[in-house]
Amino acid sequence: MMAYRRTFTPGGSGRLAVLQRHLSAVPLSGQLTSTVYPTNFCYTLDNNLLTTEQRQFYEENGFLVIKNLVSAVDIERFREEFERLCKKEITVPGLLIMRDVAIAKSEYVPDQKAITKVQNFHEDPELFRYCSLPQIVKYVECFTGPNIMAMHTMLINKPPDAGKKSSRHPMHQDLHYFPFRPSDHIVCAWTAMERIDRSNGCLVVIPGTHKGTLKQHDYPEWEGGVNKMYHGVRDFDLTIPRVHLVMEKGDTVFFHPLLIHGSGMNRTAGFRKAISCHYASADCHYIDVKGTTQENIEKEVVELACKRHGLSGLTLKDTWMIKARLINGERTNL
């Protein structure tokens, strides 16, 4: 990995050059450097895994790509389990299956065609195995510390776009969905299950936005419709430079919950798959989102829980407490 001690302005050509070098490099935890860096890190914890360069990169940009972290064997097992779920060969308690708004209303077949993602697979032993992979967890600990909770699980199956651009995901911050803090002790691990680039809708990030605040999110006014719970940053500035994360199968990106990110359309004939888990330190605490910008997502989540499970009187906090699972250390709070 190249050194990047200089300070870069958001979207500047120098900053983008550094980002490009990061994405094309193969980070090695044992790599040495002779460059002197500041030691007042805010977003990573002291550890023996990340190089100083990697820590500095995450501090400045809010994400870090680790190449070839998950094996092809594991990815194939996750793919096969997903297909079994789509074909209804197995059922999993609490699993949330989401379908593309442009496909699901016109046709439905019991396979992956209309399914955009499955969430909350914490009761599926095979898919949940991703969350406890040692090579994932050791990186997660660099951001959360040793007491680690798996909070949100998801396998994304971005379908070929049906012509209405509904396969896009608006630019958003994941913290919009989370009623727990502090945000600096939350991190997402997102693994490509095949090569992902701009043709099939790779992740798009705005480096450095993790240093900002949580913004107001709403459904974007898209002509082709928006998938359920695909909230986006309100009045998002389309002129802000962004970085497209081209990733190979098995590559994993770790990113901060305030990092503004999204994904484009899938213009290919195949499905673009990725698997992810949001982790938080078990020392984090829940908050009441009443009176905050998160009230709209709480209302939607609670209504869905009532409709699917007949549960009433819930809060956003309640829905997350049900899903949280201990991965490492002690369940001290969450």
Side-chain angles (χ1 to χ4, degrees):
M1 178 177 291
M2 304 296 289
Y4 37 80
R5 187 183 181 189
R6 293 173 296 165
T7 300
F8 301 95
T9 57
S13 59
R15 184 187 186 94
L16 292 179
V18 168
L19 292 169
Q20 187 58 45
R21 289 198 295 272
H22 163 69
L23 295 176
S24 62
V26 181
L28 300 175
S29 60
Q31 190 174 359
L32 300 177
T33 176
S34 59
T35 308
V36 178
Y37 294 91
T39 57
N40 55 333
F41 295 108
C42 300
Y43 304 102
T44 57
L45 303 174
D46 290 341
N47 63 86
N48 296 319
L49 179 63
L50 297 179
T51 66
T52 306
E53 293 95 334
Q54 288 173 321
R55 291 186 70 180
Q56 186 70 17
F57 187 93
Y58 188 89
E59 293 280 327
E60 295 199 13
N61 298 288
F63 71 95
L64 181 70
V65 176
I66 304 298
K67 310 294 287 184
N68 196 30
L69 191 60
V70 179
S71 72
V73 173
D74 279 329
I75 288 174
E76 187 57 32
R77 287 177 59 177
F78 301 146
R79 186 185 302 273
E80 290 172 355
E81 183 74 356
F82 173 72
E83 291 175 355
R84 285 194 288 269
L85 287 170
C86 293
K87 295 175 182 177
K88 297 186 176 180
E89 295 177 0
I90 55 175
T91 57
V92 176
L95 189 75
L96 178 61
I97 296 177
M98 304 183 72
R99 296 182 171 85
D100 188 277
V101 65
I103 301 174
K105 292 181 179 179
S106 59
E107 58 181 313
Y108 174 71
V109 288
D111 62 17
Q112 66 176 302
K113 185 171 184 180
I115 296 176
T116 59
K117 63 177 69 172
V118 294
Q119 298 192 81
N120 308 336
F121 56 66
H122 46 273
E123 296 293 346
D124 185 307
E126 179 55 43
L127 290 183
F128 193 71
R129 192 172 58 82
Y130 167 81
C131 304
S132 58
L133 288 174
Q135 66 268 39
I136 296 282
V137 174
K138 70 179 183 180
Y139 277 98
V140 170
E141 188 171 350
C142 299
F143 307 98
T144 64
N147 299 322
I148 304 173
M149 300 293 296
M151 302 300 293
H152 180 234
T153 54
M154 183 165 57
L155 193 153
I156 306 106
N157 183 54
K158 185 185 283 286
D161 197 85
K164 296 186 177 181
K165 302 180 181 181
S166 58
S167 66
R168 294 176 296 173
H169 198 302
M171 301 298 283
H172 65 283
Q173 298 166 298
D174 288 338
L175 193 66
H176 171 64
Y177 298 90
F178 302 157
F180 41 91
R181 301 291 188 274
S183 60
D184 293 345
H185 292 163
I186 304 169
V187 69
C188 179
W190 193 100
T191 299
M193 295 177 66
E194 54 216 311
R195 177 178 168 81
I196 297 179
D197 54 31
R198 297 186 68 168
S199 67
N200 59 4
C202 63
L203 280 183
V204 181
V205 302
I206 303 181
T209 48
H210 67 300
K211 299 178 183 180
T213 59
L214 180 60
K215 301 182 181 301
Q216 178 71 48
H217 286 62
D218 296 295
Y219 281 110
E221 296 179 359
W222 286 353
E223 184 178 346
V226 185
N227 286 313
K228 190 72 172 174
M229 295 190 187
Y230 276 36
H231 292 192
V233 172
R234 178 189 287 179
D235 302 324
F236 178 71
D237 185 355
L238 297 176
T239 66
I240 298 176
R242 55 191 86 178
V243 173
H244 294 79
L245 300 187
V246 176
M247 300 169 65
E248 300 296 335
K249 182 177 180 179
D251 291 355
T252 301
V253 59
F254 296 89
F255 61 91
H256 192 281
L258 281 172
L259 182 74
I260 296 178
H261 66 288
S263 62
M265 287 186 294
N266 180 1
R267 296 182 174 87
T268 70
F271 291 82
R272 187 275 269 164
K273 291 182 174 62
I275 188 169
S276 71
C277 179
H278 276 91
Y279 301 87
S281 167
D283 303 324
C284 287
H285 60 274
Y286 288 102
I287 64 168
D288 184 354
V289 300
K290 292 289 189 297
T292 74
T293 62
Q294 295 178 260
E295 274 192 313
N296 58 350
I297 190 62
E298 178 175 57
K299 181 175 183 292
E300 198 166 339
V301 169
V302 168
E303 286 178 351
L304 179 63
C306 182
K307 180 179 179 181
R308 295 187 75 222
H309 307 294
L311 301 174
S312 59
L314 294 178
T315 65
L316 190 60
K317 169 186 172 180
D318 296 329
T319 65
W320 283 99
M321 290 180 67
I322 294 170
K323 295 181 287 188
R325 295 290 184 275
L326 181 67
I327 291 293
N328 192 66
E330 300 180 10
R331 188 168 189 172
T332 53
N333 198 12
L334 287 185

